[in-house]
Coordinates of all heavy atoms in Angstrom, one line a residue:
E120 N -62.1 -5.7 -58.6 CA -62.9 -4.9 -57.8 C -62.1 -4.3 -56.6 O -61.3 -5.0 -56.1 CB -64.1 -5.7 -57.2 CG -65.1 -6.1 -58.3 CD -65.9 -4.9 -58.9 OE1 -66.3 -4.0 -58.1 OE2 -66.0 -4.9 -60.1
P121 N -62.5 -3.1 -56.2 CA -61.7 -2.5 -55.0 C -62.1 -3.3 -53.7 O -63.1 -4.0 -53.7 CB -62.2 -1.1 -55.0 CG -63.5 -1.1 -55.6 CD -63.5 -2.2 -56.7
P122 N -61.4 -3.1 -52.7 CA -61.7 -3.7 -51.4 C -63.1 -3.4 -50.9 O -63.6 -2.3 -51.2 CB -60.7 -3.2 -50.4 CG -59.5 -2.8 -51.3 CD -60.1 -2.3 -52.5
I123 N -63.8 -4.4 -50.3 CA -65.1 -4.1 -49.8 C -65.1 -3.2 -48.6 O -65.9 -2.2 -48.5 CB -65.8 -5.5 -49.3 CG1 -65.9 -6.5 -50.4 CG2 -67.1 -5.3 -48.6 CD1 -66.8 -6.1 -51.5
K124 N -64.1 -3.4 -47.7 CA -63.9 -2.5 -46.6 C -62.5 -2.7 -46.0 O -61.8 -3.6 -46.3 CB -65.0 -2.7 -45.6 CG -64.9 -4.0 -44.8 CD -66.1 -4.0 -43.8 CE -66.2 -5.4 -43.2 NZ -67.3 -5.4 -42.2
W125 N -62.1 -1.7 -45.2 CA -60.9 -1.7 -44.5 C -61.2 -1.9 -43.0 O -62.1 -1.2 -42.5 CB -60.1 -0.4 -44.7 CG -59.8 -0.2 -46.1 CD1 -60.5 0.5 -47.0 CD2 -58.6 -0.7 -46.8 NE1 -59.8 0.4 -48.3 CE2 -58.7 -0.3 -48.1 CE3 -57.5 -1.4 -46.4 CZ2 -57.7 -0.6 -49.0 CZ3 -56.5 -1.8 -47.3 CH2 -56.6 -1.3 -48.6
I126 N -60.5 -2.7 -42.3 CA -60.6 -3.0 -40.9 C -59.2 -2.8 -40.3 O -58.5 -3.8 -40.3 CB -61.2 -4.4 -40.6 CG1 -62.5 -4.6 -41.4 CG2 -61.5 -4.5 -39.1 CD1 -62.7 -6.0 -41.8
G127 N -58.9 -1.6 -39.9 CA -57.5 -1.4 -39.4 C -56.6 -1.6 -40.6 O -56.7 -1.0 -41.6
D128 N -55.6 -2.5 -40.4 CA -54.7 -2.8 -41.5 C -55.1 -4.0 -42.3 O -54.3 -4.5 -43.1 CB -53.2 -2.9 -41.0 CG -53.1 -4.1 -40.0 OD1 -54.1 -4.7 -39.7 OD2 -52.0 -4.4 -39.6
E129 N -56.3 -4.4 -42.2 CA -56.9 -5.5 -43.0 C -57.8 -5.0 -44.1 O -58.4 -3.9 -44.0 CB -57.7 -6.4 -42.1 CG -57.0 -7.1 -41.0 CD -57.8 -8.0 -40.1 OE1 -59.0 -8.3 -40.6 OE2 -57.4 -8.3 -39.0
A130 N -57.8 -5.7 -45.2 CA -58.7 -5.4 -46.3 C -59.6 -6.6 -46.5 O -59.1 -7.8 -46.6 CB -58.0 -5.1 -47.5
M131 N -60.9 -6.4 -46.7 CA -61.8 -7.5 -47.1 C -62.0 -7.4 -48.6 O -62.4 -6.3 -49.1 CB -63.2 -7.4 -46.4 CG -64.2 -8.5 -46.9 SD -65.9 -8.2 -46.4 CE -65.8 -8.6 -44.7
L132 N -61.7 -8.4 -49.3 CA -61.8 -8.5 -50.7 C -62.9 -9.5 -51.2 O -63.2 -10.4 -50.4 CB -60.5 -8.9 -51.3 CG -59.3 -8.1 -50.9 CD1 -58.0 -8.7 -51.4 CD2 -59.4 -6.6 -51.3
S133 N -63.4 -9.3 -52.3 CA -64.4 -10.2 -52.9 C -64.2 -10.5 -54.3 O -63.8 -9.6 -55.1 CB -65.8 -9.6 -52.7 OG -66.8 -10.5 -53.3
F134 N -64.3 -11.7 -54.7 CA -64.0 -12.2 -56.1 C -65.2 -13.1 -56.5 O -65.6 -13.9 -55.6 CB -62.7 -12.8 -56.3 CG -61.5 -12.0 -55.8 CD1 -61.0 -12.1 -54.5 CD2 -61.0 -11.0 -56.6 CE1 -60.0 -11.3 -54.1 CE2 -60.0 -10.2 -56.2 CZ -59.5 -10.3 -55.0
P135 N -65.5 -13.2 -57.8 CA -66.7 -14.0 -58.1 C -66.3 -15.5 -58.1 O -67.2 -16.3 -57.8 CB -67.0 -13.6 -59.6 CG -65.7 -12.9 -60.1 CD -65.0 -12.4 -58.9
E136 N -65.1 -15.9 -58.3 CA -64.7 -17.3 -58.3 C -63.3 -17.5 -57.8 O -62.5 -16.5 -57.9 CB -64.7 -17.8 -59.8 CG -66.1 -17.8 -60.4 CD -67.1 -18.7 -59.8 OE1 -66.7 -19.8 -59.2 OE2 -68.3 -18.4 -59.8
P137 N -63.0 -18.7 -57.3 CA -61.6 -18.9 -56.8 C -60.6 -18.7 -57.9 O -59.5 -18.2 -57.6 CB -61.6 -20.4 -56.4 CG -63.0 -20.7 -56.1 CD -63.8 -19.8 -57.0
E138 N -60.9 -19.0 -59.2 CA -60.0 -18.8 -60.3 C -59.6 -17.4 -60.5 O -58.6 -17.1 -61.1 CB -60.5 -19.4 -61.6 CG -60.7 -21.0 -61.5 CD -61.9 -21.4 -60.7 OE1 -62.8 -20.6 -60.4 OE2 -62.0 -22.6 -60.5
V139 N -60.4 -16.5 -60.0 CA -60.1 -15.0 -60.1 C -59.4 -14.6 -58.8 O -58.4 -13.8 -58.9 CB -61.4 -14.2 -60.3 CG1 -61.1 -12.7 -60.2 CG2 -62.1 -14.6 -61.5
A140 N -59.8 -15.1 -57.7 CA -59.2 -14.7 -56.4 C -57.7 -15.1 -56.3 O -56.9 -14.3 -55.8 CB -60.0 -15.3 -55.3
I141 N -57.4 -16.3 -56.8 CA -56.0 -16.8 -56.6 C -54.9 -15.8 -57.3 O -54.0 -15.4 -56.6 CB -55.9 -18.2 -57.1 CG1 -56.7 -19.1 -56.1 CG2 -54.4 -18.7 -57.1 CD1 -56.9 -20.5 -56.6
P142 N -55.1 -15.5 -58.6 CA -54.1 -14.6 -59.1 C -54.1 -13.2 -58.6 O -53.1 -12.5 -58.4 CB -54.4 -14.6 -60.6 CG -55.7 -15.1 -60.8 CD -56.0 -16.0 -59.6
A143 N -55.3 -12.7 -58.2 CA -55.4 -11.4 -57.6 C -54.7 -11.3 -56.3 O -53.9 -10.4 -56.0 CB -56.9 -11.0 -57.4
L144 N -54.9 -12.3 -55.4 CA -54.3 -12.4 -54.1 C -52.8 -12.6 -54.3 O -52.0 -12.0 -53.6 CB -54.9 -13.4 -53.2 CG -54.6 -13.1 -51.8 CD1 -55.1 -11.8 -51.3 CD2 -55.3 -14.2 -50.9
G145 N -52.4 -13.4 -55.3 CA -51.0 -13.6 -55.6 C -50.3 -12.3 -55.9 O -49.2 -12.0 -55.4
A146 N -50.9 -11.4 -56.7 CA -50.3 -10.1 -57.0 C -50.2 -9.2 -55.8 O -49.2 -8.6 -55.6 CB -51.2 -9.4 -58.1
L147 N -51.3 -9.3 -54.9 CA -51.2 -8.5 -53.7 C -50.2 -8.9 -52.8 O -49.4 -8.1 -52.2 CB -52.6 -8.5 -53.0 CG -52.7 -7.8 -51.7 CD1 -52.4 -6.3 -51.9 CD2 -54.1 -8.0 -51.1
L148 N -50.1 -10.2 -52.5 CA -49.1 -10.8 -51.6 C -47.6 -10.5 -52.1 O -46.8 -10.1 -51.3 CB -49.3 -12.3 -51.4 CG -50.5 -12.7 -50.7 CD1 -50.7 -14.2 -50.7 CD2 -50.6 -12.1 -49.3
Q149 N -47.4 -10.5 -53.4 CA -46.1 -10.2 -53.9 C -45.8 -8.7 -53.7 O -44.7 -8.4 -53.3 CB -46.0 -10.5 -55.4 CG -46.0 -12.0 -55.7 CD -44.8 -12.7 -55.1 OE1 -43.8 -12.2 -54.9 NE2 -45.0 -14.0 -54.9
A150 N -46.7 -7.8 -53.9 CA -46.5 -6.4 -53.7 C -46.2 -6.1 -52.2 O -45.3 -5.3 -51.9 CB -47.8 -5.6 -54.1
C151 N -46.9 -6.8 -51.3 CA -46.7 -6.6 -49.9 C -45.3 -7.1 -49.5 O -44.6 -6.5 -48.7 CB -47.7 -7.3 -49.1 SG -49.3 -6.6 -49.2

Side-chain angles (χ1 to χ4, degrees):
E120 290 294 317
I123 300 295
K124 67 180 173 181
W125 298 92
I126 309 150
D128 62 354
E129 295 179 19
M131 179 193 284
L132 309 172
S133 175
F134 303 97
E136 298 295 330
E138 294 78 12
V139 176
I141 293 167
L144 202 57
L147 177 59
L148 294 175
Q149 291 297 337
C151 291

